[in-house]
């Protein structure tokens, strides 16, 4: 991937120097130009939905993106520094995984920054009607289901691992 010029990053800041919740230190994004280009593309994809991005960016300040070069899922959102996302190897390995991962992780930040949106999901969302989405194999709770709903809605056209089978979020919902 090649980055030409300085693409807009909305409220996202490529940062280094922090450790993730497991104590793994982040590295400078310059060590992974492909991963950074994939995340820049994902930011551009999310920016196509101003109804999502504008409140995400204006109701909480910058979102710091840290690159953790380990195989440990796609990402981890944290309230650290007002909004932090740690991105792991599989979360930046392709454009598709970057879109899905960034959408999912910003879903957690939306939960924290826009509690009324989350409260509405909690009372009327898909998991209330049908149970938790099977595409997220780890923790099954309303918080992960909220983030997974956003990740699938935005990311599924670009990322659809075989383990999901013929599940299609947009066709089903």
């Amino acid at each position: 991937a090649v980055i030409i010029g300085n693409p807009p990053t909305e409220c996202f800041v490529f940062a280094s120097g922090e450790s993730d919740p497991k104590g793994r230190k982040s590295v400078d994004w310059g060590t992974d130009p492909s991963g950074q280009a994939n995340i820049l593309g994902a930011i551009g994809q999310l920016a196509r939905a101003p109804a999502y991005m504008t409140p995400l960016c204006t109701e909480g300040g910058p979102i710091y993106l840290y690159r953790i070069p380990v195989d440990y899922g796609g990402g981890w959102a944290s309230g650290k520094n007002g909004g932090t996302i740690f991105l792991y190897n599989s979360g930046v390995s392709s454009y598709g995984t970057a879109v899905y991962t960034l959408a999912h992780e910003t879903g957690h930040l939306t939960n924290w920054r826009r509690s009324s949106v989350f409260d509405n999901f909690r009372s009327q969302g898909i998991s209330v009607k049908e149970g938790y989405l099977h595409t997220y194999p780890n923790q099954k709770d309303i918080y992960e289901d909220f983030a997974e709903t956003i990740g699938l809605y935005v990311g599924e056209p670009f990322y659809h691992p075989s383990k999901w089978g013929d599940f299609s979020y947009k066709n089903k919902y």
Side-chain angles (χ1 to χ4, degrees), residues 108-123:
H108 289 297
L109 298 181
T110 297
N111 170 13
W112 300 324
R113 292 179 174 195
R114 303 191 67 210
S115 60
S116 64
V117 173
F118 176 73
D119 290 342
N120 186 42
F121 179 83
R122 184 193 300 251
S123 65

Side-chain angles (χ1 to χ4, degrees), residues 35-138:
Q36 185 175 24
N38 289 333
I39 293 297
L40 281 168
I43 292 168
Q45 186 62 40
L46 287 176
R48 295 181 66 202
Y52 181 69
M53 284 289 282
T54 300
L56 176 67
C57 287
T58 59
E59 297 178 21
I63 297 171
Y64 298 94
L65 304 174
Y66 294 95
R67 179 69 176 93
I68 310 289
V70 298
D71 294 324
Y72 183 77
W76 189 326
S78 164
K80 190 174 197 170
N81 300 321
T84 294
I85 298 175
F86 298 99
L87 292 156
Y88 305 105
N89 293 346
S90 64
V92 302
S93 62
S94 72
Y95 173 74
T97 61
V99 171
Y100 165 78
T101 300
L102 195 62
H104 177 101
E105 299 308 331
T106 59
H108 289 297
L109 298 181
T110 297
N111 170 13
W112 300 324
R113 292 179 174 195
R114 303 191 67 210
S115 60
S116 64
V117 173
F118 176 73
D119 290 342
N120 186 42
F121 179 83
R122 184 193 300 251
S123 65
Q124 301 175 36
I126 295 162
S127 46
V128 172
K129 299 172 188 169
E130 299 184 19
Y132 298 119
L133 292 165
H134 74 278
T135 54
Y136 190 78
N138 303 328

